[in-house]
Amino acid sequence: MNTLSFRTPEETKVKLDFLANQQQRDRSFIINEAIDYYLSLQEWQLAHIQTGVEQAKKGIFASDKEVNDAFAKWKQD
């Protein structure tokens, strides 16, 4: 394992310590869980963005009907 230090507001440290205490874990565990979650989310988003860019370059777009159907599905009356 490597050591990494950073600055954080006191309020964040208090929240971090609270969560660590509630889960009976140390600060490092909670921080590593949070970083892993964040990195996974960013990787997922970037992969989907890249897929969309590749589709756009190939001219693959949703039809007007598909777009309208998607909006209609979420439209609230």
Side-chain angles (χ1 to χ4, degrees), residues 1 4 16 20 25-35:
M1 287 281 230
L4 178 68
L16 178 62
R25 301 286 189 163
D26 60 24
R27 245 187 238 151
S28 291
F29 178 87
I30 304 299
I31 291 168
N32 278 306
E33 288 282 303
I35 291 171

Side-chain angles (χ1 to χ4, degrees), residues 16-72:
L16 178 62
D17 288 342
F18 175 79
L19 288 175
N21 184 46
Q22 291 295 308
Q23 296 180 29
Q24 298 179 353
R25 301 286 189 163
D26 60 24
R27 245 187 238 151
S28 291
F29 178 87
I30 304 299
I31 291 168
N32 278 306
E33 288 282 303
I35 291 171
D36 287 345
Y37 175 78
Y38 176 83
L39 293 174
S40 293
L41 178 60
Q42 294 302 309
E43 289 172 344
W44 178 85
Q45 287 178 335
L46 290 173
H48 281 78
I49 290 168
Q50 186 60 38
T51 298
V53 169
E54 290 169 8
Q55 290 174 343
K57 285 180 180 178
K58 293 177 183 175
I60 302 170
F61 296 99
S63 68
D64 288 344
K65 181 180 181 339
E66 290 170 321
V67 171
N68 290 332
D69 288 349
F71 277 113

